[in-house]
Amino acid sequence: MKKSILRKYAKLTAKVGANVQKGQDVVIYANVDQELLVSYIVEECYRLGARKVMVEWGSDIVTRLVYKKETIKVLSEVTPWVIEKQKYYCKELPAMIYVDSDDPDGLKGVSQKKLAEVAKNRYPILKPYRDERDNKYQWTIIGAPSKAWAKKVFPELPAGKAMEKLWEAILYTSRVTDDPIKAWDEHNKDLEKRTKFLNSLNLDYLHYQSSNGTDFKVWLSENVLWEAGGEKTLGSNIFFNPNIPTEECFTSPIKGKAEGKVVATKPLSYQGQLIDNFSIVFKDGKAVEVHAEKNEALLKEMIAMDEGAAYLGECALVPYDSPINNLGILFFNTLYDENCCCHLALGMGFTNLVKNYQNYTNEQLHEMGINDSAIHVDFMIGSKDLNITGYTKDGKAVPIFKNGNWAF
Ligand code: ZN
């Protein structure tokens, strides 16, 4: 990859993604194979006036070894310095930048049960700190190819060529054009226009219909907003883009109010495995019936993870003609794959989409219908002939999607 383009990507990450502020601390999470890109991002952070930039290096190979060799009990331990770090994050609110180059098969061979058990045990220990700083700091996640990831996406190509192709796809979908900052400005404006319209409708429910068998209704709350693209930090009001790329307008539906069947249109990559050709039937908001041609047991395990895992946390609208879908690549990575077409997510919802959420406790927000769970797993239901009709509180039908794309 050309260094000048990498620098543009690094600048986009620090400025548009995390929007690092003068005097702010920054934490960057990346794997050891991303030294050059990370060094450029570090430089851009200092250029924006960062006080201190810290990099937390990771490794697919070491992570896999650790998960294989250690017991559930040991893996579930949260060491004192991890807690101290959490306290520092809550106090200083550093911007967080995640550079994701993980091998989609990185945890292959590790028992799914073990992974789920460890996540479940650690979650309540770290949750209070996450809740405390939630929405108060900027964060962003971007992708960068590793050899293993590139070979997964392009198995027929030699490693070098596969890396090149994945870089191309990442930079194209991330709008790293001649002037990425300007491209993102325009993109954010377009997304804002759409969410404004959706929020003005005061929708009661959405009805999804597609020739593949999807016939599904999901109810929305008048207190919960649609959002897209960037968001603002609580208190300091700093605009940032948590995901590069992003195409979706999304909201959190009311927990317990969804009916009908959804048929997945893309395979779901979960814990290093593919769940494929599956459908889910919802009753009273709960996934009560699942079928999958591939890895049905894993899907069942996923929705039984905890109480909220069988309920919805997100409804997202993405046109079928999105840059990501048009590429026709399965990235095996949610950041890209979730932005290819319309999707739902099982598990945790977004409490910060409730109007004036800062005036409520987390418990109150969950009582208002925002789902809570240790998981948040997106799955795609967008198709070429997906129609979505919105029904407003006063009974008016408004076309939202027609033949897979925006109807307005
Ligand atoms: Zn989403």
Side-chain angles (χ1 to χ4, degrees), residues 302-313:
M302 186 185 101
I303 65 166
M305 166 101 174
D306 56 26
E307 197 266 338
Y311 291 89
L312 292 169

Side-chain angles (χ1 to χ4, degrees), residues 248 250 314 316 338 343 376 378:
E248 55 174 1
F250 62 99
E314 179 187 2
E338 82 154 340
H343 58 272
H376 175 96
D378 296 279

Side-chain angles (χ1 to χ4, degrees), residues 24-94:
Q24 192 176 20
D25 290 1
V26 183
V27 183
I28 302 172
Y29 294 86
N31 282 342
V32 285
D33 57 4
Q34 298 303 329
E35 194 183 6
L36 183 64
L37 174 62
V38 169
S39 72
Y40 289 170
I41 298 172
V42 170
E43 242 183 285
E44 290 297 337
C45 291
Y46 287 130
R47 195 164 286 152
L48 290 167
R51 188 189 78 106
K52 190 177 177 69
V53 183
M54 293 153 276
V55 184
E56 299 267 357
W57 295 106
S59 151
D60 278 333
I61 300 166
V62 173
T63 303
R64 179 182 351 208
L65 273 171
V66 167
Y67 269 96
K68 272 195 167 169
K69 295 295 176 190
E70 293 184 12
T71 61
I72 290 177
K73 190 170 169 286
V74 174
L75 285 164
S76 301
E77 283 171 13
V78 179
T79 47
W81 53 90
V82 169
I83 298 286
E84 285 306 314
K85 265 189 196 172
Q86 292 293 324
K87 287 182 187 163
Y88 160 79
Y89 295 158
C90 288
K91 191 169 156 269
E92 297 297 331
L93 300 174

Side-chain angles (χ1 to χ4, degrees), residues 120 255-256 285-287 302-312 347 370-375:
K120 206 165 117 186
K255 183 183 179 184
K286 191 177 180 181
M302 186 185 101
I303 65 166
M305 166 101 174
D306 56 26
E307 197 266 338
Y311 291 89
L312 292 169
I370 306 292
N371 190 25
D372 195 16
S373 168
I375 65 160

Side-chain angles (χ1 to χ4, degrees), residues 268 275 278 290-292 295-303:
L268 164 63
I275 301 167
F278 63 99
V290 302
H291 293 288
N295 276 324
E296 185 175 286
L298 180 61
L299 181 58
K300 284 185 172 158
E301 214 170 274
M302 186 185 101
I303 65 166

Side-chain angles (χ1 to χ4, degrees), residues 234 354-361 364-365:
L234 249 191
V354 174
K355 287 179 193 163
N356 302 313
Y357 66 94
Q358 64 274 26
N359 299 338
Y360 304 97
T361 63
Q364 285 172 324
L365 293 165

